[in-house]
Amino acid sequence: MPQLIDGKAFAASLRERLADSVRTLKEIHGVTPGLAVVLVGEDPASQVYVRNKGKQTVEAGMASFEHRLDASTSQAELLALIDRLNADDAVNGILVQLPLPRQIDEAAVINAIDPAKDVDGFHLTNVGRLATGGDGLVPCTPLGCLMLLQDHLGDLSGAKAVVVGRSNIVGKPMASLLLANHCTVTIAHSRTRDLAGECRAADILVAAVGRPRMIPGDWIKSGATVIDVGINRVTGEDGKNRLVGDVDFDSAAAVAGAITPVPGGVGPMTIACLLRNTVEATCRQKGIDPGAILPG
Ligand code: GUN
């Protein structure tokens, strides 16, 4: 059996260490970090995410501000709320839950957020900073994947990393982070000619395509580290719903050196990294060195 990379335990430990950071910010600097989460509409999955974000924000000792808007909200109304949150000193981080209803232009909304408060790392300024090696806020899911990789492998220098998936939320920022950590990086996707061959060359394989069990064990190099970002709901032969990743866990586990399970792998890291980004954003806004506050 390969080593299981326990994201659930790592995220729990990160949240505890962040709660210590928040205590320090309050006691020494008199600052309580605040995170505003905006949900437009009633998408059931988004409602669950938003509830969990609020709960974990409060558990870490931070202030949580939730804004739930009707599905018919106009772009102008949403932009007006973003303006108010940008100007609010109690709000250090702003997250607008995606997807947004059709009448709203996602890019316009994301780019209206003050980049210093963009804890999702989706604003063009933060995307540019990540691509050019600057100090910006980094998207939460790829940041969580990187932390798990560094915890498991230490230095990633020289490793051949293959990212399957090219989304703006995961695939592209993941590739930038791996490159910044001195990996040789390939981004593969649905039109890649020899996807199996590309995957077989990977020391580090990150799967972020959103297709249940798309990557079988015989696409994986012996001893590779596999990070499965997929969270897909499937109906089993017994008629019950369960969550599976983008990697076929059973066949992959027979060859990989280490692998993240689904659930309990990458998933819990996303909110933990959102809390981390909120603490980092707060420090920068207040002129406090994040390196002196954030967990190492
Ligand atoms: N919807 C799915 N994932 C995300 C995420 O990481 N951030 C936001 N804002 N919305 C999402």
Side-chain angles (χ1 to χ4, degrees):
M1 264 304 267
Q3 224 176 313
L4 274 190
I5 300 177
D6 187 346
K8 191 173 170 196
F10 191 99
S13 144
L14 179 56
R15 289 197 303 270
E16 274 179 28
R17 289 176 288 145
L18 285 166
D20 287 338
S21 307
V22 171
R23 263 190 290 280
T24 306
L25 276 175
K26 283 186 190 171
E27 286 166 13
I28 308 216
H29 301 278
V31 173
T32 300
L35 172 64
V37 174
V38 181
L39 173 63
V40 187
E42 271 107 45
D43 178 65
S46 293
Q47 285 183 331
V48 174
Y49 288 135
V50 167
R51 199 175 321 124
N52 287 337
K53 282 167 189 167
K55 185 166 165 274
Q56 294 184 28
T57 301
V58 170
E59 281 169 3
M62 301 195 248
S64 169
F65 307 98
E66 266 182 37
H67 295 267
R68 290 170 184 268
L69 307 181
D70 196 83
S72 65
T73 299
S74 70
Q75 180 161 322
E77 285 168 321
L78 181 54
L79 290 173
L81 172 60
I82 303 284
D83 277 350
R84 288 202 298 281
L85 297 174
N86 281 341
D88 185 342
D89 272 349
V91 173
N92 305 106
I94 302 170
L95 179 145
V96 178
Q97 185 67 31
L98 304 177
L100 289 168
R102 258 188 315 211
Q103 73 274 18
I104 299 176
D105 174 354
E106 272 181 12
V109 171
I110 288 166
N111 291 313
I113 297 171
D114 178 347
K117 296 189 177 185
D118 167 39
V119 284
D120 256 330
F122 294 165
H123 190 289
L124 284 175
T125 297
N126 285 316
V127 174
R129 284 180 181 145
L130 177 58
T132 56
D135 260 344
L137 290 161
V138 172
C140 302
T141 300
L143 180 58
C145 295
L146 180 71
M147 283 185 181
L148 293 178
L149 282 167
Q150 287 176 326
D151 182 59
H152 183 70
L153 293 172
D155 184 10
L156 308 182
S157 286
K160 167 124 180 88
V162 175
V163 179
V164 188
R166 52 176 159 174
S167 70
N168 291 334
I169 292 183
V170 184
K172 286 181 210 163
M174 185 77 246
S176 294
L177 280 173
L178 291 164
L179 191 58
N181 281 274
H182 316 295
C183 294
T184 302
V185 183
T186 299
I187 305 180
H189 47 79
S190 54
R191 309 239 184 133
T192 295
R193 227 167 256 152
D194 179 13
L195 188 53
E198 296 292 346
C199 291
R200 279 185 200 116
D203 304 310
I204 294 170
L205 181 65
V206 181
V209 275
R211 291 225 223 132
R213 302 192 188 105
M214 195 193 104
I215 297 176
D218 68 355
W219 289 17
I220 293 168
K221 180 170 156 177
S222 174
T225 303
V226 178
I227 303 290
D228 190 350
V229 183
I231 302 177
N232 308 290
R233 196 171 292 279
V234 296
T235 307
E237 280 164 20
D238 56 5
K240 287 192 183 147
N241 278 343
R242 55 187 292 242
L243 294 179
V244 300
D246 293 346
V247 175
D248 179 47
F249 184 86
D250 292 340
S251 61
V255 280
I259 186 167
T260 56
V262 177
V266 173
M269 290 300 292
T270 298
I271 298 183
C273 287
L274 173 68
L275 303 180
R276 185 209 167 277
N277 280 356
T278 305
V279 172
E280 179 176 353
T282 305
C283 289
R284 292 196 193 283
Q285 287 159 37
K286 303 291 178 189
I288 301 163
D289 174 14
I293 299 286
L294 284 169

